[in-house]
Amino acid sequence: MHIPFLDLRSQNLQYKEEFEKSFESFLDSGWYILGEQVRSFENELAAYIGVKYAIGVGNGLDALTLIFRAYIEMGRLNKGDEVIVPANTYIATVLSITENGLVPVFVEPDINTYNLNPKTVEESITPKTKAVLNVHLYGLVSRIEDLQATCKKHKLLLIEDNAQAIGASHKGTKTGAMGDAAGFSFYPGKNLGALGDGGAVTTNDKQLADVIRTIANYGSEQKYYNKYKGVNSRLDELQAGFLSIKLKKLDEENLSRQRIAERYCSEIKNKHIILPSYEHTQANVWHLFVIRCEHREQLIEYLNHKGIGTMCHYPVPPHKQEAYCEYNKYELPITEKIHLEILSIPMYPLLDEEQVSYIIESINQFEL
């Protein structure tokens, strides 16, 4: 049996007829940038997340970068301010901070959940700390109530990196509506993936939404009149149409992910494998299913021989990247241990029961 790590072709082919109709509508409209399809998707996304405003942008990195840039323009942040960020995130999270002249403060995660440890966050706050950038990593909801309380106590902005967790929720509130603002990615492999790049920001703050929308459009509120030294980061009209179609089935597809995750968590039983820990009170959406193994390379080779695709998310943490050489001497043992051991196994809605059973059986048979 051959099971790819991800099968985007099959996932998107199920929407082929609707995509073709959407493309025809797009083509016939004669309006290809910031048209009706973008406006419609923004409204649908805001309603789905449960916020007042959604702004479509070019990609997930831009979404986070624009949030910080807007807060600087609004006077809520200043260059040199510190932003607490999980040390084990994807580098884009950190890039959004440093791109704005802000200072990332790398905080060790909870080794069981891979998300921010509120206790460690509290211990890392200094007079220069002005924001916490929380990542719902792998589609698992962070301990958000503790983080909200900490931010309120210290008057910090709480920003969500929701690139991997769209549709996740806790006590009736969706991720993306749990802080002051949130950034989304619609990279093709995400739970809500476009057929190209795309991103969005959600917030209940009208001023923030207006400033982000303006900065993302060359800094212009009115054509040829520029309020800010802006950028060009706009969700593509064509991708917005595709995303509107897929948004309608997002909950159904996330439910499929949850069912697969339940089987993995209950049926994978191998002393060499550490399964993810999560709280049952939270509706996680399992963008990735990440296990840990001290003998990762042997496990990868074994699963490859079995025809099962895998991927490492992520082999090198941001503070050990050449791009952030100024942080290379930092010692973050929990983060470094995680990045040496993690391995993502197949997790997507179209996996059938036979394939899931084969993956579980193969992992259970892994021996050194």
Side-chain angles (χ1 to χ4, degrees), residues 341-366:
E341 296 178 354
I342 51 175
L343 184 66
S344 301
I345 62 176
M347 167 57 76
Y348 47 94
L350 295 184
L351 283 173
D352 61 35
E353 292 294 324
E354 183 182 2
Q355 290 173 315
V356 174
S357 294
Y358 179 75
I359 293 167
I360 292 168
E361 180 184 340
S362 297
I363 292 175
N364 285 341
Q365 291 175 353
F366 171 67

Side-chain angles (χ1 to χ4, degrees), residues 205-355:
D205 185 331
K206 185 179 186 303
Q207 183 187 7
L208 180 69
D210 289 343
V211 174
I212 288 173
R213 194 179 296 280
T214 302
I215 294 171
N217 189 34
Y218 296 99
S220 175
E221 293 176 319
Q222 180 183 353
K223 195 167 186 178
Y224 303 132
Y225 293 84
N226 304 83
K227 186 174 182 178
Y228 306 109
K229 296 174 183 176
V231 298
N232 176 12
S233 181
R234 302 173 298 203
L235 179 62
D236 186 78
E237 183 77 357
L238 183 61
Q239 298 301 336
F242 295 157
L243 288 166
S244 286
I245 292 166
K246 297 182 74 174
L247 181 60
K248 295 177 177 64
K249 284 191 67 175
L250 177 60
D251 285 345
E252 179 184 333
E253 294 196 347
N254 281 341
L255 183 60
S256 294
R257 291 175 182 271
Q258 290 165 355
R259 289 173 180 148
I260 295 166
E262 286 174 6
R263 288 201 61 193
Y264 282 161
C265 287
S266 63
E267 297 179 38
I268 292 177
K269 299 181 186 298
N270 185 313
K271 64 181 180 180
H272 301 298
I273 304 299
I274 298 173
L275 295 169
S277 175
Y278 63 97
E279 295 185 37
H280 288 280
T281 56
Q282 299 170 333
N284 303 296
V285 294
W286 302 99
H287 169 59
L288 299 170
F289 193 93
V290 179
I291 60 178
R292 289 200 351 255
C293 180
E294 290 184 358
H295 310 281
R296 181 173 68 187
E297 296 310 312
Q298 292 98 311
L299 180 59
I300 291 172
E301 183 178 353
Y302 165 79
L303 291 175
N304 184 58
H305 177 73
K306 287 282 191 175
I308 299 170
T310 60
M311 191 171 290
C312 294
H313 294 88
Y314 306 94
V316 183
H319 74 283
K320 292 298 184 182
Q321 297 283 357
E322 184 178 353
Y324 284 112
C325 56
E326 64 268 37
Y327 299 110
N328 285 175
K329 292 183 179 179
Y330 276 32
E331 292 185 3
L332 298 168
I334 295 175
T335 295
E336 289 158 27
K337 179 178 177 61
I338 288 170
H339 284 255
L340 285 172
E341 296 178 354
I342 51 175
L343 184 66
S344 301
I345 62 176
M347 167 57 76
Y348 47 94
L350 295 184
L351 283 173
D352 61 35
E353 292 294 324
E354 183 182 2
Q355 290 173 315

Side-chain angles (χ1 to χ4, degrees), residues 20-303:
E20 288 174 343
K21 289 179 181 177
S22 179
F23 176 76
E24 288 178 8
S25 176
F26 157 80
L27 186 62
D28 290 344
S29 74
W31 193 291
Y32 306 132
I33 298 288
L34 295 182
E36 184 56 38
Q37 298 203 77
V38 167
R39 285 191 292 271
S40 178
F41 174 69
E42 288 176 338
N43 291 335
E44 292 163 5
L45 179 63
Y48 176 79
I49 297 299
V51 294
K52 294 178 181 177
Y53 309 103
I55 307 98
V57 298
N59 53 68
L61 172 57
D62 282 1
L64 293 174
T65 303
L66 285 163
I67 290 170
F68 287 118
R69 170 69 190 282
Y71 276 127
I72 290 172
E73 294 290 355
M74 292 164 61
R76 295 285 303 277
L77 291 174
N78 295 289
K79 293 184 185 298
D81 286 345
E82 293 179 352
V83 179
I84 288 174
V85 63
N88 61 316
T89 187
Y90 180 55
I91 198 169
T93 315
V94 185
L95 287 169
S96 71
I97 298 169
T98 57
E99 179 66 18
N100 283 287
L102 302 167
V103 179
V105 176
F106 295 105
V107 171
E108 292 268 58
D110 183 321
I111 196 167
N112 297 309
T113 66
Y114 311 124
N115 278 325
L116 275 177
N117 183 337
K119 183 176 183 292
T120 313
V121 169
E122 181 92 33
E123 294 169 349
S124 302
I125 294 171
T126 75
K128 291 184 178 180
T129 307
K130 301 300 177 185
V132 173
L133 179 47
N134 174 58
V135 183
H136 301 288
L137 197 63
Y138 310 143
L140 305 182
V141 183
S142 299
R143 288 172 57 188
I144 195 66
E145 290 167 321
D146 292 336
L147 292 173
Q148 288 169 333
T150 297
C151 288
K152 183 177 180 180
K153 175 183 174 183
H154 296 278
K155 299 180 179 178
L156 307 177
L157 293 167
L158 177 57
I159 298 162
E160 297 174 86
D161 181 338
N162 203 40
Q164 298 186 2
I166 186 168
S169 65
H170 176 62
K171 294 183 178 179
T173 300
K174 284 191 169 67
T175 55
M178 295 176 170
D180 295 285
F184 293 71
S185 169
F186 304 125
Y187 181 78
K190 294 296 193 290
N191 291 35
L192 181 63
L195 275 67
D197 256 326
V201 175
T202 58
T203 184
N204 284 313
D205 185 331
K206 185 179 186 303
Q207 183 187 7
L208 180 69
D210 289 343
V211 174
I212 288 173
R213 194 179 296 280
T214 302
I215 294 171
N217 189 34
Y218 296 99
S220 175
E221 293 176 319
Q222 180 183 353
K223 195 167 186 178
Y224 303 132
Y225 293 84
N226 304 83
K227 186 174 182 178
Y228 306 109
K229 296 174 183 176
V231 298
N232 176 12
S233 181
R234 302 173 298 203
L235 179 62
D236 186 78
E237 183 77 357
L238 183 61
Q239 298 301 336
F242 295 157
L243 288 166
S244 286
I245 292 166
K246 297 182 74 174
L247 181 60
K248 295 177 177 64
K249 284 191 67 175
L250 177 60
D251 285 345
E252 179 184 333
E253 294 196 347
N254 281 341
L255 183 60
S256 294
R257 291 175 182 271
Q258 290 165 355
R259 289 173 180 148
I260 295 166
E262 286 174 6
R263 288 201 61 193
Y264 282 161
C265 287
S266 63
E267 297 179 38
I268 292 177
K269 299 181 186 298
N270 185 313
K271 64 181 180 180
H272 301 298
I273 304 299
I274 298 173
L275 295 169
S277 175
Y278 63 97
E279 295 185 37
H280 288 280
T281 56
Q282 299 170 333
N284 303 296
V285 294
W286 302 99
H287 169 59
L288 299 170
F289 193 93
V290 179
I291 60 178
R292 289 200 351 255
C293 180
E294 290 184 358
H295 310 281
R296 181 173 68 187
E297 296 310 312
Q298 292 98 311
L299 180 59
I300 291 172
E301 183 178 353
Y302 165 79
L303 291 175

